[in-house]
Amino acid sequence: MPDLPDVSGPAKAPALCALGLGISLSVVAAVWLKNGQERVWQEEVRKLAQDRAEVIRGQVARSMEVLNAVAGLFDANGEVSRQQFKAFVERPLARQPELQALAWDARVA
């Protein structure tokens, strides 16, 4: 069996430098990739939150329009019967699932 050369002392230095450099570059690359992925994830979450907030703003605005229309009904007619109110709010309640109910309550003096 052939004898292996004695690799000790200064002869190991280039190999150890290459190993250290390789490990260092691997760690730096891993951290850089992790940070990049985290930024992408944060941007996706931010965009999703903005989209959902915009949907909620739209639903609230539509609901407020229905309430303003109901106020206009009462302003225009003075007295509104329960049947008139029901007929007036039937369509908005059917079109807007975020509106769960609109109630006609008689004013008690």
Side-chain angles (χ1 to χ4, degrees), residues 18-34:
L19 178 64
L21 183 62
I23 290 173
S24 298
L25 288 175
S26 295
V27 168
V28 168
V31 168
W32 182 73
L33 288 173
K34 180 183 177 287

Side-chain angles (χ1 to χ4, degrees), residues 58-88:
Q59 289 174 337
V60 168
R62 287 186 347 186
S63 298
M64 292 303 297
E65 288 301 318
V66 171
L67 294 178
N68 288 329
V70 168
L73 172 69
F74 278 89
D75 289 344
N77 293 339
E79 292 292 320
V80 177
S81 71
R82 188 179 297 262
Q83 291 76 23
Q84 289 171 319
F85 180 83
K86 181 181 178 198
F88 188 82

Side-chain angles (χ1 to χ4, degrees), residues 34-106:
K34 180 183 177 287
N35 288 342
Q37 288 294 339
E38 191 170 310
R39 280 191 297 270
V40 168
W41 178 79
Q42 287 174 346
E43 181 61 26
E44 287 176 5
V45 169
R46 186 189 62 75
K47 176 74 170 120
L48 183 61
Q50 281 180 335
D51 291 347
R52 292 202 177 168
E54 192 59 38
V55 167
I56 291 171
R57 276 189 211 102
Q59 289 174 337
V60 168
R62 287 186 347 186
S63 298
M64 292 303 297
E65 288 301 318
V66 171
L67 294 178
N68 288 329
V70 168
L73 172 69
F74 278 89
D75 289 344
N77 293 339
E79 292 292 320
V80 177
S81 71
R82 188 179 297 262
Q83 291 76 23
Q84 289 171 319
F85 180 83
K86 181 181 178 198
F88 188 82
V89 299
E90 237 171 29
R91 283 188 181 156
L93 286 173
R95 283 191 323 262
Q96 295 175 253
E98 66 271 10
L99 286 176
Q100 295 183 358
L102 293 168
W104 181 90
D105 296 321

